Amino acid sequence: MTITQTTTPAQVLVKFSYAYIQFHEATNLFEMVFTSKMNETEFIAVNKALLDEFRKKQSNRLLVNALNMGVISTGGQKWVVENLVPGMISHLKGRNLYHAQIIPEKDVFGKFAAKNIEDRASKVPGMVMIAFSNAKEGMDWLLQQPDR
């Protein structure tokens, strides 16, 4: 299991058998880590939980570690683009959402699914999404983005 290492302590907000969501108070940053593969229903469930938690905070930074996730179904990809992204953007009231995805460098199907989401989500005004192959690069990039 790969767990994102960060320099700030984080509070785990929601935990599933295949993923968890945590919040880094000191850096005002959400982090969702997928610890194993899941089906479409499970993928949507963790993303619904993320949206619920996101609406409780004023953060506009999100790190998603998908190194252990596997392939995202087209239905899951569609749900993220049509529900999660607009829900997060509307909560921010005009501020940008900075989203770093951590995806396996050699997983062709995972990269394709992530690129599909990135391409579709980047068309949403206020969405800034970049893919990285390791968590440190993604976290470093996020910490350079405005947090309010």
Side-chain angles (χ1 to χ4, degrees):
M1 173 186 349
T2 301
I3 297 178
T4 304
Q5 298 296 314
T6 61
T7 57
T8 61
Q11 173 190 12
V12 175
L13 303 172
V14 180
K15 188 166 183 147
F16 293 83
S17 62
Y18 50 86
Y20 61 92
I21 300 163
Q22 57 186 11
F23 185 70
H24 300 264
E25 192 76 41
T27 55
N28 197 33
L29 183 143
F30 276 94
E31 182 176 17
M32 182 163 58
V33 178
F34 291 95
T35 56
S36 66
K37 295 178 182 177
M38 73 221 68
N39 63 38
E40 181 177 311
T41 302
E42 293 167 329
F43 176 76
I44 291 172
V46 73
N47 279 283
K48 282 182 178 178
L50 174 63
L51 183 56
D52 289 344
E53 293 299 324
F54 190 81
R55 288 178 171 152
K56 298 174 188 174
K57 307 272 187 193
Q58 292 301 312
S59 175
N60 65 335
R61 297 172 171 174
L62 172 63
L63 178 72
V64 176
N65 186 330
L67 292 174
N68 296 309
M69 182 172 62
V71 178
I72 308 163
S73 70
T74 54
Q77 294 172 43
K78 182 178 177 184
W79 193 92
V80 165
V81 172
E82 293 179 359
N83 298 280
L84 179 65
V85 172
M88 294 176 99
I89 293 290
S90 68
H91 172 70
L92 294 173
K93 297 178 174 56
R95 294 183 302 140
N96 285 342
L97 172 62
Y98 299 100
H99 177 176
Q101 292 187 96
I102 313 305
I103 56 173
E105 200 168 309
K106 296 180 181 179
D107 181 352
V108 175
F109 296 112
K111 284 174 82 171
F112 178 78
K115 182 69 173 148
N116 186 34
I117 290 174
E118 182 179 344
D119 289 346
R120 293 174 66 196
S122 66
K123 293 176 182 157
V124 176
M127 181 68 171
V128 181
M129 180 185 287
I130 299 181
F132 298 90
S133 59
N134 74 62
K136 183 178 179 341
E137 288 177 2
M139 182 67 79
D140 289 348
W141 176 79
L142 279 173
L143 294 177
Q144 294 173 18
Q145 308 312 312
D147 72 340
R148 301 268 180 219

